[in-house]
Amino acid sequence: MESGPCACGICHGDMRRGGEAVFTAECSHQFHFHCISGTVARGRIACPLCHARWREFPSFRTKDEPPAPAESSQPFFRPVEPRVFDDDEPLVRAPRRLGERKHGGVASVASDGGSAVALATHCEHSAVARDACRDDFAVLVHARAPPGGGGAAAAEAPRAPLDLVTVLDVSGSMVGNKLALLKQAMGFVIDNLGPGDRLCVISFSSGASRLMRLTRMTDGGKAHAKCAVESLTARGGTNIGAALRKAAKVLDERLYRNAVESVILLSDGQDTYTAPARCGYDRDANYDALVPPSFVRIDDGGRSPPVHTFGFGKDHDAAAMHTIAEATGGTFSFIENEAAIQDGFAQCIGGLLSVAVQELRLDVACVDTGVRVTAVKSGRYESHIEVGGRAATVDVGELYADEERSFLLFVVVPRAPAWDDVTRLIEVSCSYRDMETGRTTNVAGAEEAVVLRPSRAEAGVAERSVEVDRELVRVEAIEVIALARAAAERGAYAEAAQILRSRQRAVARSAVARAGDAMCAGLSGELREMRARVADRRQYELSGRAYVLAGLSSHAQQRATSRQMSGEVSSSALPTGITVSYVTPAMLDMLDRSRRSRELTRPQSHHQRDRERRSWN
């Protein structure tokens, strides 16, 4: 029997009489609280009248149950989770179910196309003597993503929509200022997502809860998301494994998918459930157990969502957060100054909202007879050299607008016949999915890496490549940082500091550094900072491990992470002194927005405090 407009949908009693609390569902049907609470307690999450599936419920308590103390009460925002997370909001464009393919064809463009990935090569020397043979000749392969909009143009520029799952630690250690800063940072993220982007908020402490389904960030969606964030309260332990499994469930079971997907994980503590560490860093801890199988990077061309991790404060488990990021293709950032969390999130979403290409693969083919590839320095990117060394590939994956990647190849340069004035070493091409068109694009016709072959007397005037020298300095520094970290982990702190000191001096003595190269100057500063932070056990446990791992994460992927140097002065471009390595224009633009938003909210917070003081008096 259908209830009247003023009748309870379950008992059909009149709800106009006083003394009875009323619940109005999303479908507009109304029920007495005491009626609907029993239904919900039995696991029914659909309207008894129209059978519409409900997503959020207020918390219920019985009539005789005393209210919980204010500091431990559950937030009003307490959704009942469905068994399957297939309730994601449809996309702006025609929705496409997971697994369906879009047949958009393949486009081929020249290497100098303005909206295509730009490829370039640089040889270690411009010339090699005709009768000489080199077994380790360095060639730099450089790729740059198409440019994106900047400033006001960025808001209007077409871009790929994002599915973002934020996984937020609300354990007891987050109480007070930490939680307030996190809420402010999430408010900034929500404000800067567009109506085509979808957001899901997951909170975790001893367990994990999905506070909202994947929801489009329309005006209503943003209000809903801010309501979810404001409901966060801190209590309990730290269960990172359960939180990531919940995030994986959201992304695995959604009906539709946006072109870009990512997870942001923030934690200020150590997992005490899935992979507990006994003391700061435990070499026996199985941190890989924290990563759900669907989040592990696949080497056969399949994609998995990157998890960008943020270690918040000085008590988090940097080794666990770094492992999660490495396993998923994400980055690890160290937010030492807790007030910098909004800028850390801003830098991250500045990249995620400017993805230009996906599934980028570089293909290298040797040209002249006798030329062979012997090694590829590709950091965390998978590379493969074919048997015989006549071809090689590097799987780069996703690039943000204006983002660059450089890879060193070492090749065999054979002796040249007397009649040859040049040796053609390699030719580089690439394929990728263009996010603007949705089509697979092939870029061919990049300049071949060519070396001149003069007589021995003339070869003495060969020019050396600044680009190759810069990359050699960077790659050698990364290898040394990894060695220093290994020394510190076994307790050899003085040895770790000496390793970093020697490399810092080597960087400063390099020809590119003496010529005033900005990358070398920044790298020298990082090495100096790391050296100070690994000097003894206390300093290493407090911040050294996290700072070193965040640096390795950044350099191994050639992607910006948030780190802050000791005593670094704020600037208008980087308001919290974030290390500038690999920062893109879109990231800088988002960081500037973050700075301006904090300047606008600061006077409001002072005004609010003054008003509260007057009310107390």
Side-chain angles (χ1 to χ4, degrees):
M1 184 176 76
E2 185 73 24
S3 61
C6 297
C8 172
I10 295 177
C11 72
H12 309 297
D14 192 349
M15 292 189 294
R16 289 175 295 187
R17 286 180 286 190
E20 291 282 0
V22 175
F23 169 62
T24 302
E26 299 165 62
C27 54
S28 300
H29 288 121
Q30 293 185 325
F31 309 91
H32 290 125
F33 262 93
H34 70 272
C35 292
I36 196 63
S37 60
T39 301
V40 173
R42 291 190 295 273
R44 185 183 181 97
I45 58 174
C47 176
L49 296 179
C50 67
H51 306 293
R53 178 178 290 178
W54 293 336
R55 299 182 182 90
E56 283 82 37
F57 290 84
S59 57
F60 297 103
R61 58 185 176 90
T62 62
K63 182 177 180 182
D64 299 326
E65 179 185 354
E71 64 271 14
S72 63
S73 62
Q74 289 291 328
F76 85 94
F77 204 97
R78 188 177 168 189
V80 174
E81 295 180 356
R83 291 190 183 90
V84 179
F85 290 162
D86 58 356
D87 55 351
D88 52 308
E89 191 169 0
L91 311 181
V92 174
R93 291 185 287 272
R96 179 162 53 101
R97 288 186 178 274
L98 216 58
E100 290 182 356
R101 295 180 177 269
K102 180 179 180 180
H103 300 284
V106 178
S108 295
V109 297
S111 62
D112 59 351
S115 61
V117 170
L119 301 175
T121 58
H122 302 275
C123 293
E124 179 182 355
H125 291 98
S126 60
V128 174
R130 188 176 294 132
D131 60 350
C133 177
R134 287 284 304 274
D135 293 331
D136 58 350
F137 189 80
V139 179
L140 178 72
V141 174
H142 180 267
R144 183 183 183 114
E156 303 299 328
R159 62 170 178 84
L162 168 68
D163 278 349
L164 178 63
V165 179
T166 55
V167 184
L168 310 176
D169 188 343
V170 292
S171 58
S173 57
M174 286 288 292
V175 71
N177 192 48
K178 280 185 177 181
L179 189 60
L181 290 169
L182 174 59
K183 290 180 179 181
Q184 177 181 317
M186 280 301 300
F188 176 83
V189 170
I190 293 166
D191 285 337
N192 283 277
L193 295 177
D197 303 313
R198 300 190 300 174
L199 175 69
C200 173
V201 179
I202 292 174
S203 66
F204 72 96
S205 52
S206 301
S209 298
R210 189 193 72 159
L211 299 186
M212 58 182 289
R213 63 173 180 158
L214 265 176
T215 303
R216 283 178 49 211
M217 289 295 97
T218 58
D219 290 343
K222 289 183 177 184
H224 186 61
K226 288 182 178 180
C227 188
V229 169
E230 283 303 317
S231 75
L232 296 174
T233 55
R235 66 171 63 83
T238 305
N239 195 338
I240 296 174
L244 288 178
R245 289 191 293 273
K246 187 81 69 174
K249 181 177 172 67
V250 168
L251 293 177
D252 292 346
E253 296 178 354
R254 59 193 161 149
L255 286 179
Y256 311 103
R257 69 183 306 162
N258 266 322
V260 182
E261 56 187 357
S262 187
V263 176
I264 288 178
L265 166 66
L266 177 136
S267 177
D268 75 330
Q270 300 183 9
D271 182 273
T272 51
Y273 294 84
T274 309
R278 290 188 291 272
C279 55
Y281 174 74
D282 182 0
R283 272 182 281 271
D284 297 326
N286 183 19
Y287 292 121
D288 289 330
L290 296 170
V291 185
S294 63
F295 278 4
V296 179
R297 283 196 297 181
I298 305 169
D299 296 336
D300 62 0
R303 288 193 300 130
S304 63
V307 180
H308 298 288
T309 62
F310 290 80
F312 195 34
K314 296 183 178 180
D315 296 323
H316 71 279
D317 190 341
M321 301 295 273
H322 181 256
T323 298
I324 293 166
E326 290 279 281
T328 61
T331 56
F332 165 56
S333 292
F334 173 33
I335 309 297
E336 182 175 16
N337 176 5
E338 293 162 2
I341 182 57
Q342 178 171 307
D343 293 326
F345 279 7
Q347 179 175 278
C348 183
I349 66 167
L352 295 174
L353 297 179
S354 64
V355 172
V357 302
Q358 288 179 335
E359 303 169 17
L360 172 62
R361 189 184 75 175
L362 301 179
D363 294 292
V364 176
C366 297
V367 182
D368 282 354
T369 303
V371 178
R372 291 183 293 109
V373 177
T374 59
V376 179
K377 296 287 187 180
S378 58
R380 286 290 299 170
Y381 299 101
E382 293 290 333
S383 61
H384 173 72
I385 301 174
E386 288 189 5
V387 176
R390 293 290 293 171
T393 59
V394 180
D395 289 317
V396 182
E398 199 168 78
L399 286 185
Y400 305 151
D402 298 285
E403 215 172 18
E404 303 176 55
R405 297 288 182 269
S406 294
F407 304 107
L408 276 177
L409 279 68
F410 292 92
V411 302
V412 172
V413 179
R415 291 182 176 86
W419 57 85
D420 274 354
D421 294 328
V422 298
T423 297
R424 297 181 300 162
L425 301 178
I426 61 172
E427 184 179 62
V428 183
S429 59
C430 73
S431 63
Y432 60 92
R433 188 153 64 93
D434 187 293
M435 302 308 294
E436 187 174 342
T437 65
R439 297 196 302 173
T440 298
T441 301
N442 294 322
V443 176
E447 283 188 25
E448 293 178 338
V450 174
V451 64
L452 301 176
R453 306 308 298 269
S455 65
R456 179 170 294 277
E458 296 170 328
V461 297
E463 295 181 1
R464 189 167 179 88
S465 167
V466 173
E467 291 82 4
V468 171
D469 280 352
R470 181 189 298 118
E471 186 63 10
L472 283 168
V473 168
R474 191 188 72 87
V475 168
E476 290 167 358
I478 297 169
E479 294 171 350
V480 166
I481 292 170
L483 289 174
R485 180 209 171 194
E489 293 296 352
R490 64 174 185 269
Y493 304 107
E495 178 186 343
Q498 181 56 41
I499 289 172
L500 293 168
R501 180 184 294 109
S502 298
R503 179 48 49 182
Q504 182 193 347
R505 290 173 178 171
V507 170
R509 289 195 300 265
S510 66
V512 282
R514 292 198 305 271
D517 183 76
M519 187 281 292
C520 288
L523 185 57
S524 179
E526 283 188 66
L527 291 166
R528 180 172 58 250
E529 185 77 15
M530 290 178 184
R531 187 185 75 195
R533 292 174 184 258
V534 303
D536 55 57
R537 177 177 179 176
R538 178 183 175 279
Q539 190 64 27
Y540 187 68
E541 296 288 345
L542 196 63
S543 67
R545 177 182 293 117
Y547 191 88
V548 169
L549 288 175
L552 286 172
S553 177
S554 178
H555 288 299
Q557 295 198 54
Q558 301 179 55
R559 174 161 283 174
T561 63
S562 296
R563 292 162 284 150
Q564 190 173 13
M565 291 189 178
S566 301
E568 198 167 74
V569 179
S570 297
S571 68
S572 59
L574 294 175
T576 56
I578 291 174
T579 303
V580 298
S581 302
Y582 316 112
V583 175
T584 66
M587 292 177 179
L588 285 173
D589 177 67
M590 197 63 72
L591 282 165
D592 187 56
R593 292 190 202 182
S594 176
R595 176 187 61 82
R596 287 186 276 113
S597 76
R598 285 187 288 106
E599 288 177 351
L600 289 173
T601 57
R602 194 175 296 120
Q604 293 174 4
S605 62
H606 288 318
H607 176 71
Q608 185 176 0
R609 283 196 293 270
D610 291 339
R611 188 170 56 188
E612 289 174 350
R613 290 193 192 100
R614 287 195 297 270
S615 68
W616 295 336
N617 294 332

